[in-house]
Amino acid sequence: MSTTNDKDIESSYTPLEPRKEKFTHEEELKELERDLGAGSLPVSSPTHRTAPARPKLSASTIIPIWIVLSSSVIIYNNYLYNTLGFEFPVFLVTWHLTFAAIGTRVLQRTTNLLDGVRDVHMTKEVFVRSILPVGVLFSGSLILSNKAYLHLTVAFIQMLKAFVPVAILLISFAFRIQEPNRRLLAIVLMISGGVSLASYGELSFDAFGFVIQAMAVVFEASRLVMIQILLHGMKMDPLVSLHYYAPVCAAINLLILPFTEGWAPFEHLYRIGPFMLISNAAVAFGLNVAAVFLIGAGSGLVLTLAGVFKDILLISGSVIIFGSRITPLQVFGYSIALAGLVTFKTTGGK
């Protein structure tokens, strides 16, 4: 699941108003953690309270930790799905979110990592108007992006994820949140062309899996744009965000589970056992914790390059560990898409 996204996850949408520096860092994490769902989902009312001092880690320490955890979540999930044959992404995502809901509440009572919760003015109106619709999109994004691993290789999925910023821009244009210009159109063409070449060069292309991943991209991009529309001008760090969204998404997934996978996941739990089930969720949750320390550890460019390096490392790992095959055309196309992605982030998406 991202975190993380799978920070995710893990592409970003930059607000058009001032105060971009911190928001940009947090938005970058949304795309980087998208497989996990560690987004910074702002819901707090403006306050001037000084947040308690939080332990800080240097960029040279936290970035490698984040890269390892982010890559581990995706590789671990793929191992459960395709090597051990536990082909139940809805169940696994629901379990991750349940673990995260419990974990954030434990951290809230034992550490200062979730002290930001006290600054959140959560009302029934905010919950129904903002949390619930974004939660529906979040659940859809997580389920679809995990289900894609049953049909596509890890390497190809990472290449397709580069299309997220294009989807964000197109939706933003449609809602008139952002006006198109030559630079943005050039970025759209670069990323779209690169992803198209990567898709054309895929040796194990699966049309159904491609459609599922494309839908996951649409859900994720819609989620990020919806946050900008519904929660404009507010902010939260990824862990506080997860504190609110994990139980909502877990509940939504529980409603979906009987109609998608039914009782089958419980009958096949023997394939993975309790250790793998718990450790898998713990790695996913650890990624969300790492995301909190990652924010502010480096500049937006540093975090962007770290994300690009993570994706390249993940694609290479997919080839080595799972025997995925990539072609020179895919490498060329993905390189073009990455160049467009870096340009998009370093120019602030404008």
Side-chain angles (χ1 to χ4, degrees):
M1 172 189 69
S2 36
T3 151
T4 276
N5 245 178
D6 130 53
K7 212 158 285 274
D8 310 47
I9 165 147
E10 233 184 351
S11 161
S12 67
Y13 175 77
T14 306
L16 303 182
E17 274 69 26
R19 299 184 44 144
K20 291 184 179 176
E21 183 65 21
K22 183 172 176 86
F23 198 88
T24 299
H25 288 172
E26 294 177 351
E27 286 293 340
E28 283 170 352
L29 288 171
K30 285 179 189 162
E31 183 254 325
L32 298 175
E33 308 306 337
R34 72 178 296 280
D35 295 292
L36 230 259
S40 70
L41 306 181
V43 253
S44 61
S45 57
T47 105
H48 299 285
R49 291 176 54 181
T50 302
R54 177 182 295 164
K56 292 185 177 181
L57 297 176
S58 65
S60 60
T61 299
I62 188 58
I63 289 179
I65 292 174
W66 173 80
I67 288 175
V68 169
L69 287 173
S70 182
S71 301
S72 297
V73 168
I74 295 174
I75 291 174
Y76 204 161
N77 286 356
N78 189 70
Y79 175 73
L80 296 183
Y81 294 143
N82 296 308
T83 302
L84 298 185
F86 190 75
E87 301 178 349
F88 305 104
V90 178
F91 173 86
L92 195 64
V93 169
T94 305
W95 163 239
H96 282 189
L97 291 166
T98 302
F99 190 96
I102 297 171
T104 52
R105 280 149 183 80
V106 171
L107 289 181
Q108 183 183 14
R109 288 165 174 75
T110 58
T111 71
N112 67 348
L113 291 176
L114 280 105
D115 285 353
V117 171
R118 292 180 295 193
D119 294 331
V120 177
H121 182 59
M122 182 60 62
T123 64
K124 183 178 179 180
E125 180 184 0
V126 170
F127 179 85
V128 173
R129 179 180 62 86
S130 303
I131 300 297
L132 196 55
V134 174
V136 171
L137 292 172
F138 192 17
S139 289
S141 171
L142 290 172
I143 291 173
L144 290 169
S145 61
N146 275 266
K147 191 172 181 61
Y149 287 99
L150 300 179
H151 305 276
L152 303 175
T153 65
V154 171
F156 187 39
I157 289 174
Q158 293 307 119
M159 295 178 188
L160 293 179
K161 287 178 184 177
F163 196 75
V164 171
V166 171
I168 292 174
L169 286 174
L170 294 178
I171 294 173
S172 298
F173 295 160
F175 280 91
R176 297 187 178 276
I177 297 174
Q178 192 158 357
E179 294 298 324
N181 57 49
R182 290 182 179 179
R183 183 193 297 272
L184 290 179
L185 292 177
I187 291 173
V188 167
L189 290 175
M190 282 183 66
I191 297 177
S192 300
V195 172
S196 297
L197 288 174
S199 300
Y200 184 76
E202 172 63 19
L203 296 175
S204 304
F205 186 84
D206 183 297
F208 183 66
F210 179 83
V211 170
I212 290 176
Q213 182 57 38
M215 290 174 62
V217 168
V218 172
F219 267 81
E220 178 64 6
S222 299
R223 178 179 77 91
L224 297 179
V225 174
M226 193 65 71
I227 288 172
Q228 171 67 1
I229 294 174
L230 297 180
L231 305 173
H232 179 70
M234 305 177 187
K235 54 183 171 55
M236 279 191 344
D237 70 49
L239 207 52
V240 175
S241 163
L242 193 65
H243 172 83
Y244 285 102
Y245 276 85
V248 174
C249 294
I252 294 172
N253 288 1
L254 280 174
L255 294 176
I256 297 173
L257 186 61
F259 303 99
T260 54
E261 297 171 355
W263 189 253
F266 300 94
E267 296 175 343
H268 290 79
L269 280 176
Y270 70 89
R271 292 179 180 271
I272 56 177
F275 174 77
M276 283 196 174
L277 192 65
I278 294 173
S279 62
N280 178 250
V283 172
F285 184 67
L287 177 56
N288 286 280
V289 177
V292 175
F293 292 94
L294 185 65
I295 294 177
S299 66
L301 177 59
V302 169
L303 298 185
T304 296
L305 294 178
V308 170
F309 177 73
K310 184 267 297 182
D311 288 339
I312 295 174
L313 190 65
L314 194 52
I315 291 173
S316 302
S318 172
V319 173
I320 296 172
I321 298 173
F322 299 112
S324 302
R325 294 182 300 167
I326 58 175
T327 63
L329 182 60
Q330 284 184 294
V331 174
F332 177 68
Y334 189 53
S335 299
I336 295 175
L338 284 182
L341 180 63
V342 172
T343 303
F344 173 77
K345 290 187 175 183
T346 54
T347 59
K350 60 180 181 178

